[in-house]
């Protein structure tokens, strides 16, 4: 399997479809020297969360590509006293979700639309793989920020807002990737 991490690319042996995601996470933690809780694994735009799930549950195969997104420092736990004083309300959570979606709509959506327009042969432009990668990475980061927002299960409005926001950003990422794939691998002339 190919693993992309920042500017690094490296290959990892595929342990088999029945192996758990934990086996891949353990191997990547060893290779990157990152704590296991300091990175997320993404395959085909979806965050792989359940380390006990078999690799087949994520449609991973020997030739699959995984994106590793992480930092050098693990997330710091919030002290209980600080957590109590920072008790968030559903409205604050909804505002956080809406702010993330608004940032995507104002900063990324126009860039994605311009990139997609540049893929049109009539545009006579030459979009680059670098631009595609940059936009894809920014959309993935937005999905990760939305994923990190975990509304209380009783907050139906916040959960619906998060679900809609994730869907919108994922659809933007999917359209970017599909258009780039079609541009990069045009059908043979008949």
């Amino acid at each position: 399997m190919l693993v992309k991490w920042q500017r690094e690319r490296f290959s990892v042996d595929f342990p088999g479809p029945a192996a758990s995601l934990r086996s891949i996470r353990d191997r990547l933690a060893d290779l990157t020297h990152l704590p296991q809780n300091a990175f997320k694994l993404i395959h085909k735009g979806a965050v792989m969360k359940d380390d006990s799930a078999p690799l087949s549950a994520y449609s991973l195969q020997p030739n699959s590509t995984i994106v590793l997104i992480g930092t050098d420092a693990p997330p710091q736990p919030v002290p209980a006293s600080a957590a109590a004083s920072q008790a968030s309300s559903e409205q604050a959570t909804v505002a956080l979700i809406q702010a993330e979606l608004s940032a995507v709509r104002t900063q990324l959506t126009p860039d994605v639309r311009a990139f997609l327009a540049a893929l049109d042969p009539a545009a006579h432009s030459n979009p680059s793989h670098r631009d595609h990668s940059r936009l894809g990475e920014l959309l993935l980061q937005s999905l990760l920020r939305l994923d990190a927002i975990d509304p209380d299960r009783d907050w139906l409005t916040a959960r619906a807002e998060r679900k809609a926001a994730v869907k919108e950003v994922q659809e933007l990422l999917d359209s970017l990737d599909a258009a780039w794939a079609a541009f990069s691998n045009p059908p043979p002339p008949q």
Side-chain angles (χ1 to χ4, degrees):
M1 292 188 312
L2 176 66
V3 177
K4 296 179 180 180
W5 176 43
Q6 298 172 347
R7 295 182 185 198
E8 303 286 327
R9 306 286 185 268
F10 48 91
S11 182
V12 174
D13 290 333
F14 183 70
S20 69
L21 183 62
R22 169 66 58 199
S23 64
I24 298 293
R25 184 176 296 279
D26 291 344
R27 179 72 179 123
L28 294 176
D30 289 341
L31 287 171
T32 62
H33 304 291
L34 292 173
Q36 290 185 3
N37 64 343
F39 62 88
K40 294 190 182 210
L41 300 174
I42 301 170
H43 176 60
K44 293 186 177 180
V47 177
M48 298 183 289
K49 295 180 182 180
D50 185 359
D51 285 347
S52 64
L55 298 180
S56 61
Y58 296 108
S59 302
L60 289 171
Q61 301 174 353
N63 62 345
S64 294
T65 299
I66 296 175
V67 177
L68 185 150
I69 297 181
T71 63
D72 292 334
Q76 298 298 319
V78 177
S81 60
S85 67
Q86 295 175 352
S88 64
S89 68
E90 183 175 14
Q91 288 178 334
T93 302
V94 168
L96 187 61
I97 294 165
Q98 290 174 342
E100 180 63 34
L101 189 56
S102 176
V104 168
R105 288 175 176 163
T106 59
Q107 298 168 10
L108 291 177
T109 300
D111 289 348
V112 170
R113 287 190 180 140
F115 181 83
L116 295 176
L119 295 177
D120 184 348
H124 301 294
S125 62
N126 192 13
S128 72
H129 176 68
R130 186 173 161 195
D131 291 335
H132 169 258
S133 296
R134 179 185 65 82
L135 289 170
E137 179 70 22
L138 291 171
L139 289 168
L140 282 173
Q141 288 175 7
S142 176
L143 284 171
L144 288 172
R145 285 189 294 273
L146 288 167
D147 183 59
I149 300 170
D150 190 17
D152 188 273
R153 62 183 351 178
D154 295 332
W155 295 350
L156 300 180
T157 302
R159 295 182 79 72
E161 286 278 339
R162 181 176 170 265
K163 182 178 180 179
V166 166
K167 181 179 179 189
E168 184 175 330
V169 176
Q170 184 65 55
E171 286 174 352
L172 193 59
L173 178 60
D174 290 345
S175 67
L176 175 74
D177 288 343
W180 179 252
F183 176 81
S184 300
N185 303 309
Q190 294 184 11

